[in-house]
Amino acid sequence: MTIASRPFENLLLTGAAGALGLVLAAPLRQACQKLVLSDLVGALDARGLVEASPCDLADGSAVMGLMAGIDAVVHFGGVSFEGPFEPILQANIRGVHNLYEAARLNGVRRVVFASSNHVTGCYGIEDRVSATQSARPDGNYAVSKLFGEATAQLYFHRYGIETVSLRIGTATAEPPDRRALSSWLSHADLVRLVLAALTAVDVGALVVYGVSANSQRWYDADAEWARIGYQPQDNAEAYRDRIGHILVSPDPKALPNLLQGGSFLGFGPFGMS
Ligand code: NAI
Ligand code: 15L
């Protein structure tokens, strides 16, 4: 029997009160026996979620409590934007460390990790990128996602916990600007991608770019998509007339317009904070 051929019964979704957590909760509930929804206490309250388990990912003992009886984790919690190091250190770096250590101690078999396109955000908009190329992170946030991907490698190769790290592009209801002609991931394709990452067999510690079937995408991802059975249905090209003229930054020669990471190239440096 291969590692994932037994269906996952008890799932944990972190970041459940976030923009993407709210998209994923209903389809994930259909895919398992029991879904535990977790986020920071305030975020959960604001969303009025019932049957939710509040937890700060930076709190190791709280994360241990969250993981009891869980088979697989869809890890979408954490700081989701570029900014000073300290909050990213707590939520994304300490948080992912706590998550994997609790996963190991509780016999979790699979993690689907929300990584980000920003790990290669310093490639140019004319570049094509694949998951086997060197990272070019565009800030503190991107470095924290690389830490998550590296932790996934550690916990697979030493402890057998499988992970699909999803380098998600711009996951919005509709693509917002010219950059998103390359980076967009529709909500429907996000659901397809996460379910594929959760149910594919023998994924090891795989890195997969997560975008829709955009004609202008930057990523050579067909091999990884085939490996997990992800078949995107949407294409940002359908929105070109509406968004093709919208730049990330007013100056066409500014870094946010020249590098794949877009607006994140306009933030920082943040010093030692
Ligand atoms: P979001 O910011 O709406 O949601 C993230 C959630 O994590 C929030 O509800 C927040 O309360 C929670 N969180 C933050 N710190 C936490 C902590 N210390 N402990 C527990 N929970 C904490 O972000 P969104 O858009 O839903 O993204 C979800 C995930 O996907 C994030 O990890 C983000 O980095 C990643 N991602 C998102 C993309 C997008 O286009 N939305 C693109 C690439 C990656
Ligand atoms: C991300 O990683 C962010 O979480 C999200 O807010 C967007 O900025 C997205 O990348 C993007 O690159 O468009």
Side-chain angles (χ1 to χ4, degrees):
M1 177 181 277
T2 48
I3 294 174
S5 59
R6 201 153 39 94
F8 300 116
E9 292 181 356
N10 300 317
L11 284 190
L12 167 64
L13 172 62
T14 68
L20 303 189
L22 290 167
V23 172
L24 290 169
L28 287 177
R29 188 172 277 121
Q30 298 292 318
C32 64
Q33 301 271 320
K34 180 181 160 198
L35 176 66
V36 176
L37 299 169
S38 187
D39 205 298
L40 290 171
V41 62
L44 283 170
D45 294 348
R47 298 294 189 170
L49 290 174
V50 290
E51 297 176 28
S53 301
C55 170
D56 183 344
L57 292 160
D59 177 346
S61 53
V63 177
M64 269 298 284
L66 200 57
M67 210 67 75
I70 294 295
D71 304 314
V73 181
V74 177
H75 182 43
F76 273 58
V79 173
S80 63
F81 39 82
E82 177 56 351
F85 186 64
E86 183 59 30
I88 290 174
L89 169 66
Q90 294 305 328
N92 294 16
I93 295 182
R94 195 171 291 287
V96 91
H97 170 74
N98 290 340
L99 186 107
Y100 274 92
E101 200 38 28
R104 179 183 71 80
L105 292 167
N106 284 279
V108 169
R109 293 182 286 137
R110 171 75 56 91
V111 177
V112 176
F113 169 53
S115 184
S116 172
N117 72 90
H118 289 279
V119 305
T120 47
C122 279
Y123 280 91
I125 57 169
E126 305 300 334
D127 291 328
R128 291 277 293 189
V129 185
S130 77
T132 55
Q133 275 170 262
S134 303
R136 288 191 193 172
D138 59 23
N140 292 333
Y141 165 77
V143 168
S144 79
K145 293 298 185 183
L146 273 176
F147 177 85
E149 292 186 10
T151 304
Q153 297 291 340
L154 166 65
Y155 277 79
F156 175 65
H157 291 288
R158 281 198 64 175
Y159 310 117
I161 299 174
E162 293 196 307
T163 297
V164 182
S165 293
L166 301 173
R167 289 184 178 173
I168 299 169
T170 302
T172 45
E174 294 190 355
D177 52 24
R178 181 189 292 176
R179 170 176 176 266
L181 289 170
S182 301
S183 64
W184 188 51
L185 175 65
S186 73
H187 283 170
D189 282 338
L190 168 73
V191 171
R192 290 184 186 99
L193 180 66
V194 170
L195 290 177
L198 200 53
T199 55
V201 173
D202 285 339
V203 292
L206 187 66
V207 175
V208 181
Y209 280 95
V211 293
S212 286
N214 308 322
S215 309
Q216 195 177 279
R217 62 185 182 270
W218 291 310
Y219 312 115
D220 288 323
D222 290 0
E224 292 85 7
W225 289 0
R227 185 150 170 213
I228 63 169
Y230 169 57
Q231 295 182 318
Q233 302 296 311
D234 295 313
N235 186 338
E237 207 58 35
Y239 297 82
R240 180 178 283 277
D241 288 350
R242 204 185 308 166
I243 62 167
H245 63 287
I246 303 174
L247 297 180
V248 174
S249 154
D251 175 3
K253 294 216 162 52
L255 275 188
N257 288 321
L258 300 180
L259 299 183
Q260 293 185 6
S263 64
F264 284 22
L265 274 307
F267 304 137
F270 295 96
M272 294 188 190
S273 57

